[in-house]
Amino acid sequence: MSESLADRQRIDNALQAARDTKQLLVGRGVLRDAGALFASSFPSHSAILVADDSTYSVAGRALEESLSAAGVRLHDPAVLPAEGLYAESHFVDRALAAIAATDAIPVALGAGTINDVVKLAAHRAGRRYLCVATAASMDGYTAYGSSITHEGSKQTFDCPAPFAVVADIDIIAAAPAWLNASGYADLFAKCPAGADWLLADGLGVEAIDAPTWAMVQDRLCDWLADPEGVRRGEVEPIQRLTVALMMTGFAMQASLSSRPASGAEHQFSHLWDMENHTHDGSAPSHGFKVGIGSLASLRLYEAILDRPLDQIDVESAVNQWPKWSQDEATIPRLFDDPAPVNKAALINKGIEESNAKRISRNDLRKELTTLKDRWPQLRDRLSGHVYSVAEARDMLAAAGCPTESQQIGITPARLRSSHLKAYFLRRRYTVLDFVRRAGLWNELIGEEDSEPYPETPT
Ligand SMILES: [Zn+2]
């Protein structure tokens, strides 16, 4: 079977298993089939396009022609300004107002921001929607839930994935290179994310779900194999990247969890989102943040894989383990940054999430005894899974992604202090939990209690 046939087979299997998405058209020139897909998905419904002025100018007319040719009645499009557009609740309100003024099915035309905005607006209007992807910039097209900033804080809202998705590779390959580079980094993140799941599985914390694991991990190395082709906007590598991102979205849709696609590397990105981090006046792309997070995570993997943890001193690690009252005191101090960030929201989230994963010394003793017993097999599994930091840097750089945190405005000192904040902000077990529970934090990352990062964030 050819590679693209094998991918088509995987997509068809994923569609069978998907809760929300029933159709995915991916390939060159498939925009012309969007109208027929709409008509068969939503018989006798009219359509309202939601786009931004840049995606509308790229593909709006062609999409409208395809819809009209299929006999679909069109309302005036809702075109948001591309300048200053981000996944924020005011834009959801604007899209919802336009949608609710009609009885039409929304058609999202754009990348991550437009899709997240329309996903939530359509849900609030009580309607399903069609998504036409204009870049391979992240894996959220086919994912359940929408990531939206509300009252200054980024939140994930429950809402179904699109009913159908159209991904025209001619349009996606011509998207600005940084968008597809961002998608490459978001796909690359599945390497450390998968390692985190291997750790959680190996230590009995969270078992791997074989079908969703396979959807993301079986072909990951092949999907990541041509970063230069992605940077050059070549059709085949871009198609492979697009399929890969759709598949990881399907895995999240099937499990109603981001576990198959997200680990510690995403926690760095969530932290910087919650801190409203900007660089040169705007937030770095999701993919570029998780790319830097991936390198931070892989650095930890490289360090732990070097260690004979089958000889770990369990009692010494257990004795170092902080009491919950210590963490409860650390969290407010840690997030007490000079910058005007959402301090209260960060502290509350830190307490809530850390409380959810707190572990007694007795349970930690059991977990570390398991680690001691299973380390040789677990280490083999992990070392067969992760890229070295050097390989990862080369791959990300070849795709056109940043490989130094300063390139996205995060100083080395801030990156270091971000480890502990990221650890506290999510209950999900990752390499950060592993390092802390094994008593390796100070050695691998630095003193927990040293001062918060001193620089003014850019
Ligand atoms: Zn992501």
Side-chain angles (χ1 to χ4, degrees):
M1 203 187 304
S2 77
E3 183 196 317
S4 59
L5 262 179
D7 275 344
R8 186 66 241 180
Q9 189 66 55
R10 285 190 171 82
I11 289 170
D12 289 342
N13 293 343
L15 285 167
Q16 295 275 325
R19 292 159 190 264
D20 305 323
T21 307
K22 300 299 167 209
Q23 296 281 352
L24 170 62
L25 286 185
V26 53
R28 300 191 71 172
V30 295
L31 183 66
R32 75 174 84 88
D33 303 322
L37 177 66
F38 183 98
S40 64
S41 302
F42 308 104
S44 71
H45 279 86
S46 56
I48 178 168
L49 256 66
V50 184
D52 64 48
D53 38 33
S54 124
T55 59
Y56 190 78
S57 74
V58 168
R61 293 269 176 253
L63 177 55
E64 285 170 343
E65 278 167 22
S66 169
L67 287 159
S68 296
V72 177
R73 191 164 61 85
L74 288 166
H75 297 262
D76 287 342
V79 182
L80 302 170
E83 182 77 31
L85 178 66
Y86 70 117
E88 202 274 334
S89 56
H90 287 99
F91 293 106
V92 176
D93 294 342
R94 281 173 69 173
L96 177 56
I99 293 165
T102 71
D103 58 359
I105 293 292
V107 179
L109 173 63
T113 301
I114 285 285
N115 186 51
D116 271 345
V117 164
V118 178
K119 196 186 287 188
L120 186 53
H123 175 61
R124 288 186 173 163
R127 298 179 208 170
R128 304 305 311 277
Y129 77 105
L130 173 81
C131 173
V132 178
T134 55
S137 51
M138 43 83 235
D139 61 13
Y141 289 115
T142 46
Y144 177 88
S146 171
S147 187
I148 297 285
T149 301
H150 180 63
E151 292 175 349
S153 132
K154 191 131 178 165
Q155 301 170 34
T156 301
F157 291 86
D158 285 341
C159 50
F163 187 83
V165 180
V166 175
D168 188 326
I169 299 304
D170 288 330
I171 292 170
I172 292 172
W178 69 271
L179 280 171
N180 293 331
S182 298
Y184 182 86
D186 198 20
L187 183 64
F188 188 88
K190 294 8 170 189
C191 169
D196 286 352
W197 207 0
L198 286 174
L199 272 182
D201 181 77
L203 299 179
V205 177
E206 186 181 343
I208 284 178
D209 172 58
T212 48
W213 169 270
M215 282 164 85
V216 176
Q217 299 292 343
D218 272 5
R219 296 243 305 130
L220 185 59
C221 292
D222 299 327
W223 286 333
L224 289 171
D226 191 359
E228 291 89 357
V230 170
R231 195 186 61 222
R232 288 193 293 262
E234 290 169 8
V235 165
E236 276 188 28
I238 293 288
Q239 169 139 346
R240 218 175 289 134
L241 173 64
T242 305
V243 167
L245 292 169
M246 296 293 173
M247 288 297 294
T248 65
F250 282 133
M252 290 187 274
Q253 192 183 129
S255 57
L256 287 185
S257 159
S258 59
R259 173 56 107 173
S262 161
E265 74 299 321
H266 271 74
Q267 292 176 201
F268 286 93
S269 174
H270 293 311
L271 165 70
W272 297 329
D273 287 340
M274 286 193 75
E275 291 180 333
N276 294 336
H277 172 62
T278 58
H279 179 51
D280 291 342
S282 60
S285 74
H286 170 74
F288 288 173
K289 284 179 283 199
V290 300
I292 294 299
S294 293
L295 291 169
S297 181
L298 290 177
R299 265 182 214 108
L300 296 177
Y301 276 105
E302 215 161 78
I304 59 176
L305 286 171
D306 242 9
R307 282 173 169 65
L309 295 178
D310 44 348
Q311 292 158 40
I312 187 175
D313 183 343
V314 171
E315 284 314 311
S316 154
V318 167
N319 288 333
Q320 282 180 50
W321 186 242
K323 294 192 174 77
W324 172 240
S325 57
Q326 288 171 271
D327 280 354
E328 257 184 323
T330 300
I331 292 167
R333 199 169 63 238
L334 189 69
F335 288 106
D336 191 20
D337 285 337
V341 295
N342 307 305
K343 203 184 289 183
L346 284 160
I347 292 170
N348 290 340
K349 190 84 180 157
I351 297 277
E352 179 191 331
E353 294 292 310
S354 305
N355 191 23
K357 66 177 176 183
R358 69 199 255 197
I359 180 171
S360 69
R361 288 190 167 175
N362 260 344
D363 287 342
L364 180 62
R365 182 175 291 109
K366 283 185 213 148
E367 192 174 293
L368 293 176
T369 306
T370 306
L371 166 65
K372 202 175 160 99
D373 294 344
R374 296 189 188 167
W375 181 242
Q377 298 88 326
L378 186 54
R379 184 175 53 193
D380 285 352
R381 240 179 137 189
L382 287 166
S383 47
H385 176 85
V386 292
Y387 292 103
S388 69
V389 174
E391 286 170 318
R393 289 174 59 89
D394 286 351
M395 292 163 79
L396 289 167
C401 307
T403 55
E404 299 292 341
S405 63
Q406 292 100 314
Q407 290 172 276
I408 59 165
I410 301 287
T411 63
R414 185 171 172 191
L415 178 63
R416 195 185 67 72
S417 70
S418 291
H419 285 71
L420 191 58
K421 293 177 178 175
Y423 161 84
F424 279 126
L425 276 180
R426 284 286 185 276
R427 66 189 66 187
R428 175 163 299 158
Y429 183 95
T430 70
V431 69
L432 296 171
D433 298 85
F434 181 90
V435 166
R436 196 165 189 246
R437 290 182 188 186
L440 298 169
W441 193 281
N442 289 358
E443 187 187 338
L444 300 188
I445 297 168
E447 292 285 323
E448 263 191 28
D449 264 328
S450 60
E451 79 292 353
Y453 69 93
E455 300 91 338
T456 309
T458 49

